Amino acid sequence: MSKGAGTKAGDLRWWQLSLLGVASTIGTGYFLGSALGIRMGGPAFLLSIILAATATYFVFDVLARMTAEDPQKGSFRTYAKQAYGRWAGFSTGWMYWCSEVLIMGSQMTALAIFSRFWFPGIPMWIFASGYAVLGLFVIWIGNKGFDRLENVLAVIKVAAIVMFLVIAAAAWMGLLKGGTKPHVPNSINSFFPAGGMGAWSSLIFAFYAFGGIEVMGVMAVRLKNPKEAPKSGKVMILLLSFVYVLSIGMAVMMVAWNQFSKSKSPFVVALSSYKLPFIPHIFNAVLIIGGFSTMVASLYAVTTMLVTLSEDRDAPRLFSRKMFKRKTPLYALSLTAAGLILSIVLSLLMPGKIYEYLTTAAGLMLLYNWFFILVSAGRLMELTIWGKIKRYIGMLLIAAAVSGTALHATSRPGLWISLGFIGLISIVVLCMRSVWKKSEQGNAAKLDKPKLRPKPAR
């Protein structure tokens, strides 16, 4: 992979990027989406978490190495373009934009569900609208405001998870009143209550809980030393894996797997069976904070990606225009806002199913991009034998997660939605190829045209 014209050194240290990665990742996929995974796979969802963590590490490892070798503002989209041409960069960029819009819709829906814990009579779309406006305001503030907010929210989220683990440990030791004493599944049937098919179907929600590593790829160009990107990712993924397995493991030991609800966080459900009148409310507030931070991170990533698409002429040029003193990409932010409005309308039209559909479709769109990251790395990097093995294992696990969505009625509609987006992007690519070809021919003609020389003075 040759070094290209990247970007100048940034202002982030590797541990700050790790914190931002944690803040961008721990969100509604973990706090609420994991409930769907537990409902599908039971305690075996823990195995899905481990498999998803393994694939996530393999994907981020190659992405970080490409970033360290050649930092690019467009991140994986630029690498796809370098590997396979303009169609690949265009497709992955717009696929990512669509996935992030779906993710934001999923996150807003989850935030509305959490808020209805206190106000069940208020429609979800009202809460979703409020969170959307607040998120757009944070992005308007700019990078410094975003970094400060995300660092603070990362600390709050980790503190909440530690609080849950402490309470779970107290329940394990019999120090809490009410509820049932946590117990470990002691047979294959109790660990796989829904069978192998259930565990297979739950893989997509385990992957979704790790959604956010692409944001780290986009933000890695802001590192003071881009070569520290792999270290930053390793720390982040190891921390997330440990926290996810331990906390979700505690939750499924505190409450029977079939008692978890798709409309409540598994952690709130686990805590509500004990006589802790204030703790579920405190934890619900933290869930809202955590979900909001991931929504803001998605807003940042999707707006940045749209700007880079515009700068590379894979989107209208107006989306890269920056206005006012804050250098705000107003038009890009406006298109993102339009996507948020569409998500709010969908939550109004089908409030009962919107979260499952959007979560599955968003998770799948992310996985399509992850798969392409691995494919691009095979062409751009000289991998060792072990590197090639890791790459193929990652591709196999992603394929397993995608195919698993076809096995369950809850996730199957999301599969069709994601394929619809892929079909639409493919049609646009086919239409644009002739335009790109003419543009390339025009550029070549300009280069070949002989330069006019001034006439000599008489």
Side-chain angles (χ1 to χ4, degrees):
M1 182 174 172
S2 61
K3 284 195 179 254
T7 56
K8 62 182 181 180
D11 56 352
L12 290 179
R13 298 183 184 275
W14 71 267
W15 60 267
Q16 289 175 311
L17 183 60
S18 294
L19 258 184
L20 283 171
V22 170
S24 303
T25 306
I26 296 180
T28 55
Y30 164 68
F31 286 130
L32 184 59
S34 56
L36 295 173
I38 296 170
R39 289 281 299 179
M40 284 185 182
F45 183 61
L46 290 172
L47 180 60
S48 297
I49 289 286
I50 294 171
L51 292 175
T54 303
T56 302
Y57 172 71
F58 292 160
V59 172
F60 185 81
D61 185 52
V62 295
L63 178 60
R65 290 179 187 279
M66 287 190 288
T67 302
E69 202 170 316
D70 182 19
Q72 292 286 347
K73 188 177 179 182
S75 188
F76 55 88
R77 185 189 66 82
T78 303
Y79 304 136
K81 187 175 182 178
Q82 290 174 353
Y84 293 99
R86 188 166 183 177
W87 71 267
F90 181 93
S91 300
T92 54
W94 280 107
M95 191 158 56
Y96 181 69
W97 189 87
C98 293
S99 71
E100 286 297 318
V101 169
L102 288 173
I103 285 172
M104 287 185 292
S106 169
Q107 289 162 343
M108 284 192 304
T109 304
L111 288 170
I113 290 172
F114 293 151
S115 300
R116 280 164 62 92
F117 179 77
W118 294 314
F119 307 101
I122 297 179
M124 286 204 306
W125 69 269
I126 293 178
F127 285 117
S129 301
Y131 290 120
V133 171
L134 195 56
L136 289 168
F137 175 74
V138 172
I139 297 301
W140 178 274
I141 293 172
N143 282 345
K144 289 185 178 179
F146 170 75
D147 292 349
R148 289 169 185 166
L149 178 69
E150 289 295 288
N151 283 330
V152 171
L153 296 183
V155 172
I156 292 174
K157 284 189 282 189
V158 172
I161 295 167
V162 171
M163 179 185 75
F164 173 77
L165 294 175
V166 170
I167 294 171
W172 188 277
M173 292 184 287
L175 301 178
L176 299 181
K177 295 180 180 179
T180 56
K181 187 176 181 179
H183 63 283
V184 179
N186 54 9
S187 67
I188 294 294
N189 289 335
S190 60
F191 190 73
F192 290 92
M197 289 293 185
W200 188 359
S201 301
S202 72
L203 254 179
I204 184 63
F205 298 104
F207 271 95
Y208 187 65
F210 285 93
I213 61 164
E214 327 75 24
V215 181
M216 286 195 69
V218 173
M219 292 191 293
V221 295
R222 293 173 51 200
L223 281 171
K224 287 185 176 180
N225 181 6
K227 293 190 180 298
E228 291 184 328
K231 177 169 66 173
S232 179
K234 285 178 184 177
V235 171
M236 182 202 74
I237 293 170
L238 284 173
L239 177 61
L240 286 176
S241 303
F242 176 76
V243 167
Y244 284 2
V245 171
L246 190 59
S247 58
I248 293 175
M250 284 289 191
V252 296
M253 287 188 287
M254 292 168 73
V255 180
W257 69 276
N258 54 7
Q259 291 183 21
F260 289 98
S261 168
K262 63 186 179 183
S263 61
K264 288 184 181 180
S265 169
F267 309 106
V268 171
V269 172
L271 294 175
S272 62
S273 63
Y274 296 90
K275 293 181 179 179
L276 301 166
F278 297 107
I279 295 298
H281 294 276
I282 295 172
F283 207 85
N284 193 65
V286 174
L287 299 186
I288 292 174
I289 291 171
F292 180 73
S293 77
T294 53
M295 190 190 82
V296 171
S298 295
L299 271 170
Y300 173 85
V302 77
T303 305
T304 301
M305 183 58 69
L306 189 54
V307 170
T308 60
L309 281 166
S310 176
E311 289 172 347
D312 281 358
R313 299 190 179 184
D314 285 336
R317 294 300 298 271
L318 64 89
F319 291 126
S320 58
R321 291 182 192 168
K322 296 182 179 180
M323 304 173 69
F324 310 113
K325 290 183 179 180
R326 295 185 182 277
K327 301 289 185 181
T328 304
L330 185 62
Y331 293 105
L333 203 57
S334 298
L335 184 60
T336 302
L340 292 177
I341 292 171
L342 179 60
S343 297
I344 292 168
V345 172
L346 289 174
S347 70
L348 180 62
L349 295 176
M350 46 180 184
K353 295 290 183 181
I354 184 69
Y355 184 71
E356 296 101 304
Y357 294 168
L358 289 180
T359 299
T360 306
L364 286 168
M365 295 286 282
L366 278 181
L367 290 190
Y368 300 151
N369 257 329
W370 287 16
F371 193 88
F372 216 99
I373 288 170
L374 292 171
V375 171
S376 300
R379 174 164 286 197
L380 295 177
M381 300 174 65
E382 293 183 8
L383 299 171
T384 63
I385 297 296
W386 175 232
K388 291 177 181 178
I389 292 172
K390 289 192 297 182
R391 177 170 164 267
Y392 286 124
I393 292 174
M395 294 167 73
L396 182 63
L397 289 172
I398 290 172
V402 172
S403 59
T405 59
L407 304 176
H408 201 283
T410 298
S411 54
R412 201 173 296 127
L415 173 62
W416 298 124
I417 292 171
S418 71
L419 292 177
F421 274 103
I422 295 298
L424 181 62
I425 292 170
S426 299
I427 291 171
V428 174
V429 167
L430 290 174
C431 294
M432 290 297 295
R433 291 189 75 169
S434 60
V435 176
W436 294 334
K437 190 173 182 180
K438 289 179 182 178
S439 177
E440 289 172 1
Q441 289 173 347
N443 291 334
K446 287 180 181 178
L447 291 173
D448 293 337
K449 187 177 180 180
K451 294 181 179 180
L452 295 174
R453 295 181 180 178
K455 293 181 179 179
R458 293 183 180 179

